[in-house]
Amino acid sequence: MSATSPTRTIAPTTRRVPPLGGFNLTVMRIEIARMLRNRRTIVFTFVFPAALFLAIGSGSGWQEKAGNGNVAAYLMLSMALYGAALTAAAGGAMVATERALGWSRQLRLTPIHPGVYIGMKALIALLLGAVAITVVNVVAIVQGRATMPTDRWVEAALLTLVCTMVFAALGVFVGYLVPGENAMQILGPGLALLSFLGNVFIPIDDGTVLWHIASWTPMFGVAEISRAPLTGELPWYAVVNAVGWLAVFVAGAAWRMSKDTARV
Amino acid sequence: MDTRTPPASTAAAPAIRLEQVTKQFGTVQAVRGIDLTIEQGEVVAFLGPNGAGKTTSIDMMLGLSRPTSGSVEVLGMAPRQAIARGLVAAVMQTGGLLKDLTVRETVAYMASLFADTQPVDEVLAHAGITGLASRKVGKCSGGEQQRLRFAIALLSDPALLLLDEPTTGMDVEGRRAFWGAIRADADRGRTVVFATHYLEEADQYADRIVLVRKGQIVADGSGSEIKALAAGRTVRATLEHADHSAVTALSQLAGVESVEVRGDTVLLHATDTDAVARHLLTQTSAHDLEITARSIEDAFLSLTGDDETDADSPADHGHVLEGTTR
């Protein structure tokens, strides 16, 4: 018992608050290492989109002209977008597992700002999305069929990366919405379906009923945007679609996050 | 009796201050107006049965949830601000760890989030988990994970440590070592608040016990005070025509916990039964007095239990305990 010696008190004001809301590179490094250790992530990120590109691109007609390049380039852009979207969504959806494990709760007992944390998660999702895009592009270059002007090639890759943000936000949203490991089981097939509707796998004929429905789905707009440097056309509704869905997913994620007071 | 350290003469902010705190979940009133001040350096047990509101109160102290009404202050600031300065840490029984990180990564990750922390290697060594540094958390045993949780909690040298059922699953040896370390830290100024539903553990390791029941504080005092309370006795006397006003008068005597009337017999549960007996014999027509001791467990259950007979008892207990709080 400390009855004889006076208890020392701690002066609360001598303690500092970390800068930047807790943003730091140690977390980024560990999170990236963590994702790269996950075999499923590796398959989704590095192997699947590239394999899909090789499989679809092996059909005839790859050398036909498409906008400023050829069909092979068109396919490459589509697969890069698909791979990056899947990776980013998987990264975002990791919050589901983290919540189930009580990690999110543990983090709320540290100085890190929840917004900064989600920001770091989004950044990591984008980084891995960039890797997915790079892998498909490198495979395409090695294969040697895709042709398009270099500046437009770079432009398209960067645009794809920007578009990936939509799916990082979607991943976080679904991660908060769906408990535990189920998030990815919804996102995997869900993104495949959206990719079909978004003109990523198979072209949908303009003006058909299916096309009209598809033009409202989340993959449609970003697909048009990421291919714009190749096709040379950027319809206004594609931009509206992409911006609209980004707003919906970010708002949804923010809304679920603010509701996230449950003790898990 | 009170072995607690008096508040420092300097204007040190209390570690915790709850004022008229309530918390409602839908129609359920989990906390029904708690006033509590815990000074720095105290080791306080939050004692009560499951569902008494212990965890809800701790969540509010941690800023994980907001009170429906009332105010919560930690070290003179809002809980979230205290947490941003690394002043508050908590250890939960389960969860809070990522299975796919190594032990070292987990510590490094958490350490990177605070402005000031001890070096990772020192923290690992202090917690005795240096040998586990490169092991995946998912491959660690329950005890090893618990040591890791403590290592994380102590990273920022918190001024306030909140523990939820901390020794669940520990053996006797581990429990003793654990509390030895906690006491040593408390002597250096760290405030420790732990939730438990074991009277024995609260009595052995806390300077002060706060007894919660149905979302209210029903007792607050040192272990011996609580035990004295729990060791109250029953006075049985014959008192003809005990009407309502007579019963009310009896229930307002100092130290009386409850009054029960069975025909011409009154039963009084009280801490100071001598005073009650003196009153009955000198101020009333009661006769045939009989004083019996209650077992500690019985009395403790009556304080924290959920039996029908003392449905209005929280107020009574509050009255009883006025003399013993702080």
Side-chain angles (χ1 to χ4, degrees):
Chain A
M1 210 66 53
S2 52
T4 48
S5 60
T7 300
R8 290 199 342 219
T9 54
I10 293 164
T13 44
T14 58
R15 301 294 184 87
R16 295 183 299 146
V17 178
L20 308 172
F23 176 87
N24 71 84
L25 295 176
T26 305
V27 168
M28 297 284 287
R29 178 178 57 76
I30 294 173
E31 287 280 8
I32 290 170
R34 193 179 151 219
M35 278 204 82
L36 295 182
R37 275 204 295 260
N38 186 331
R39 211 165 287 134
R40 193 164 64 175
T41 312
I42 298 296
V43 172
F44 276 150
T45 312
F46 301 134
V47 183
F48 191 54
L52 216 54
F53 165 71
L54 291 176
I56 296 177
S58 66
S60 59
W62 58 267
Q63 62 278 67
E64 278 173 36
K65 189 172 155 49
N68 299 306
N70 63 4
V71 168
Y74 187 98
L75 282 173
M76 174 197 74
L77 292 178
S78 293
M79 289 312 127
L81 175 67
Y82 174 66
L86 205 53
T87 307
M94 278 167 79
V95 297
T97 322
E98 292 171 6
R99 283 177 68 234
L101 288 171
W103 180 253
S104 312
R105 184 184 155 87
Q106 188 71 48
L107 287 175
R108 288 216 302 281
L109 301 179
T110 72
I112 192 162
H113 188 281
V116 172
Y117 179 67
I118 292 297
M120 280 203 273
K121 281 292 204 191
L123 207 56
I124 291 158
L126 281 182
L127 270 170
L128 288 166
V131 173
I133 293 166
T134 308
V135 168
V136 175
N137 277 272
V138 167
V139 167
I141 292 167
V142 170
Q143 190 202 33
R145 287 176 176 176
T147 53
M148 64 193 283
T150 312
D151 57 334
R152 285 177 184 271
W153 196 318
V154 173
E155 206 181 311
L158 290 176
L159 272 176
T160 308
L161 185 59
V162 172
C163 290
T164 305
M165 276 195 290
V166 175
F167 299 95
L170 172 67
V172 174
F173 183 27
V174 173
Y176 273 107
L177 218 53
V178 185
E181 305 268 341
N182 297 336
M184 216 38 227
Q185 272 148 24
I186 288 178
L187 278 174
L191 279 177
L193 179 68
L194 289 179
S195 299
F196 272 111
L197 290 173
N199 256 339
V200 173
F201 292 151
I202 309 163
I204 300 171
D205 292 332
D206 275 23
T208 60
V209 175
L210 184 61
W211 185 89
H212 277 290
I213 296 170
S215 65
W216 289 90
T217 61
M219 194 68 104
F220 189 92
V222 290
E224 292 278 352
I225 292 174
S226 62
R227 285 188 304 243
L230 174 68
T231 59
E233 49 192 68
L234 183 57
W236 62 270
Y237 51 81
V239 178
V240 171
N241 174 305
V243 173
W245 280 110
L246 178 64
V248 167
F249 294 148
V250 167
W255 169 59
R256 292 311 305 173
M257 244 175 80
S258 68
K259 292 272 177 194
D260 185 32
T261 52
R263 190 185 176 88
V264 273
Chain B
M1 291 289 264
D2 193 343
T3 50
R4 276 179 286 135
T5 314
S9 52
T10 53
I16 294 172
R17 195 207 306 272
L18 303 186
E19 263 170 27
Q20 285 298 307
V21 169
T22 67
K23 179 71 184 180
Q24 196 146 3
F25 295 106
T27 57
V28 180
Q29 186 103 42
V31 173
R32 306 161 182 254
I34 284 187
D35 282 295
L36 179 69
T37 303
I38 294 174
E39 302 297 342
Q40 290 192 31
E42 282 192 278
V43 177
V44 179
F46 239 54
L47 180 65
N50 288 328
K54 290 176 300 202
T55 302
T56 309
S57 304
I58 287 185
D59 276 3
M60 288 190 283
M61 294 170 195
L62 289 171
L64 292 174
S65 70
R66 282 168 191 271
T68 308
S69 67
S71 72
V72 178
E73 260 185 27
V74 174
L75 295 150
M77 46 186 113
R80 186 60 227 169
Q81 296 211 288
I83 284 170
R85 291 178 163 79
L87 289 162
V88 188
V91 179
M92 301 298 141
Q93 283 181 72
T94 54
L97 297 171
L98 287 178
K99 295 188 178 111
D100 56 343
L101 290 186
T102 66
V103 168
R104 171 186 289 278
E105 280 173 336
T106 307
V107 175
Y109 191 120
M110 284 295 169
S112 76
L113 303 179
F114 293 93
D116 304 288
T117 53
Q118 275 106 319
V120 171
D121 285 320
E122 270 177 39
V123 172
L124 289 171
H126 187 71
I129 48 177
T130 306
L132 305 174
S134 55
R135 187 179 298 179
K136 289 269 172 65
V137 171
K139 296 223 158 65
C140 291
S141 73
E144 288 164 349
Q145 291 189 359
Q146 195 63 359
R147 269 190 274 170
L148 175 57
R149 283 190 198 96
F150 270 98
I152 292 169
L154 299 179
L155 269 173
S156 65
D157 189 19
L160 171 63
L161 185 59
L162 291 150
L163 310 168
D164 194 3
E165 305 280 354
T167 59
T168 305
M170 279 190 201
D171 55 19
V172 179
E173 193 61 32
R175 211 170 271 224
R176 190 171 306 147
F178 169 80
W179 283 113
I182 292 290
R183 290 250 44 130
D185 283 341
D187 289 343
R188 289 190 294 111
R190 179 171 296 148
T191 313
V192 180
V193 176
F194 66 99
T196 181
H197 51 262
Y198 297 116
L199 173 62
E200 196 200 332
E201 185 166 51
D203 179 36
Q204 256 181 300
Y205 301 109
D207 303 333
R208 176 179 167 196
I209 299 174
V210 175
L211 215 60
V212 229
R213 178 206 160 154
K214 290 186 187 168
Q216 284 180 316
I217 293 177
V218 294
D220 181 344
S222 71
S224 47
E225 282 164 343
I226 296 290
K227 273 202 298 191
L229 248 178
R233 281 175 288 201
T234 304
V235 182
R236 183 191 181 104
T238 307
L239 180 63
E240 280 94 12
H241 319 301
D243 57 7
H244 185 71
S245 63
V247 170
T248 310
L250 287 176
S251 68
Q252 273 162 10
L253 287 175
V256 172
E257 253 170 56
S258 68
V259 181
E260 215 179 305
V261 181
R262 293 179 189 163
D264 284 343
T265 305
V266 282
L267 288 157
L268 291 110
H269 299 287
T271 45
D272 187 358
T273 45
D274 291 346
V276 172
R278 194 170 296 122
H279 175 88
L280 283 170
L281 290 171
T282 57
Q283 309 291 318
T284 73
S285 60
H287 53 92
D288 290 343
L289 257 66
E290 199 181 322
I291 300 178
T292 49
R294 285 195 289 182
S295 77
I296 289 185
E297 284 306 311
D298 279 355
F300 175 64
L301 282 175
S302 85
L303 278 174
T304 60
D306 198 16
D307 48 337
E308 251 58 44
T309 53
D310 55 355
D312 60 343
S313 57
D316 292 346
H317 291 313
H319 171 71
V320 172
L321 295 159
E322 254 160 38
T324 65
T325 50
R326 283 188 280 287

